[in-house]
Amino acid sequence: MDADVPGTVLKRERTRDAVLELIETRSPGDAIPSERALCALLGVSRPTVRAAVDELVAAGLLVREHGRGMFVAPAKITQELVAGDRALSVPQAAGAWSSRLLEFTTLQAGARVGRKLRMSPAAEIVYVARLRLVNGAPMAIEHLHIRAELVPGLSARELESGDLYEHLRATHGVHVHEAVQAIEPTVVTRAEAGLLDVPELSPALLFERLTSDTTGRPVEYVHSLYRGDRYRIVSRLALGPAAEVAPDLEGHHPGIPPGDFAHGDAFASSTRGDIQAGG
């Protein structure tokens, strides 16, 4: 690496790219050279290397272990958005997804959730909090608010195993059709950090989703917190006509566990800062 590259920002960017290249040629758990070795290898100062490494640790690409060194972090769960003719279709995210129920109760909707679900604040909803895991590791905390009238007899087992929307379809006759979802960056609280096994104030992605059935009636309002160090979203956009028609892709929306919105159900995606209750 050229040690005479002018400009602190450019030098740090080149250093970061060089360390990224080292990461990309290794597997999760593999060691990378020490900061001192990287200084010699790249021809830059210790503060420049440390700044680049700190950024990659914060991004969840490197792990520091006291007394042992630096290692390539576990691979992130990647969710891809793909542009289709009318909406985005989403291939299934990798990994074996499971749930651990944190809370399950029936209560009044209240003003805010009632507005989103277009129901009286005094009407009942089923509130569910669950920890989502991928290959046994905590990935997200979900807070679900479902119209109680639509899911009589909804059981804890339905919420811990299988696909929630498949259970709604098969057991309760609720056919979800469309979801409007917003995504924004945030940080985790102390309580959330404990559940997700990350430090307090770690970066996270906040998903808010309003799901409607085939008649346009709101079915559920969900807000979910996904680990920023283990989850990322990739968009593939169609910017012009293709030479040939691509096959339809099926899958689930980011923030929705694999298998949900199955059977080709459509959804819409929004990057608005708030989800309007009317969908």
Side-chain angles (χ1 to χ4, degrees):
M1 177 176 176
D2 185 358
D4 297 322
V5 174
T8 302
V9 174
L10 180 56
K11 188 177 291 188
R12 187 168 61 243
E13 181 71 11
R14 292 261 182 108
T15 302
R16 178 183 179 277
D17 287 348
V19 178
L20 261 178
E21 188 172 351
L22 289 175
I23 292 171
E24 290 170 354
T25 59
R26 288 163 166 78
S27 300
D30 286 351
I32 70 165
S34 67
E35 289 184 3
R36 185 184 300 276
L38 288 172
C39 290
L41 177 67
L42 304 178
V44 295
S45 67
R46 187 73 172 264
T48 298
V49 167
R50 179 156 294 173
V53 168
D54 285 347
E55 184 179 342
L56 295 171
V57 169
L61 299 174
L62 277 179
V63 175
R64 274 197 184 102
E65 294 189 12
H66 184 67
R68 294 192 63 220
M70 297 182 294
F71 301 87
V72 178
K76 291 191 176 186
I77 302 300
T78 298
Q79 180 62 70
E80 185 178 12
L81 303 182
V82 182
D85 291 338
R86 298 182 58 192
L88 292 173
S89 56
V90 186
Q92 183 169 308
W97 291 71
S98 59
S99 300
R100 192 178 85 203
L101 203 59
L102 303 174
E103 193 167 346
F104 179 35
T105 188
T106 300
L107 45 75
Q108 292 185 339
R112 182 171 180 271
V113 174
R115 282 196 305 271
K116 291 183 180 295
L117 293 176
R118 297 208 303 263
M119 59 193 302
S120 166
E124 289 190 334
I125 62 166
V126 174
Y127 167 73
V128 179
R130 59 181 186 170
L131 183 66
R132 300 289 291 158
L133 304 102
V134 179
N135 300 327
M139 184 61 58
I141 303 169
E142 284 188 336
H143 302 268
L144 297 85
H145 310 78
I146 309 171
R147 285 175 173 258
E149 66 193 68
L150 299 179
V151 288
L154 181 67
S155 68
R157 182 177 180 182
E158 290 177 81
L159 297 163
E160 289 187 318
S161 62
D163 302 330
L164 173 59
Y165 293 148
E166 179 59 32
H167 287 305
L168 292 180
R169 184 190 337 268
T171 306
H172 305 282
V174 176
H175 297 264
V176 296
H177 171 65
E178 183 176 82
V180 178
Q181 180 158 277
I183 309 168
E184 60 184 85
T186 187
V187 295
V188 300
T189 65
R190 180 177 299 177
E192 292 164 343
L195 288 169
L196 293 174
D197 194 25
V198 296
E200 184 180 359
L201 301 181
S202 292
L205 292 173
L206 173 65
F207 291 82
E208 283 193 281
R209 182 175 74 253
L210 184 72
T211 306
S212 303
D213 64 14
T214 52
T215 69
R217 174 182 54 183
V219 170
E220 65 159 3
Y221 164 65
V222 181
H223 61 92
S224 307
L225 194 71
Y226 276 67
R227 287 176 55 165
D229 65 330
R230 293 294 316 279
Y231 197 83
R232 68 173 183 165
I233 298 171
V234 176
S235 298
R236 188 195 308 166
L237 306 176
L239 303 179
E244 57 185 50
V245 178
D248 290 336
L249 298 174
E250 296 183 354
H252 77 284
H253 199 277
I256 302 176
D260 293 342
F261 282 103
H263 312 295
D265 285 336
F267 63 86
S269 176
S270 169
T271 56
R272 296 194 300 269
D274 194 14
I275 296 176
Q276 300 299 320

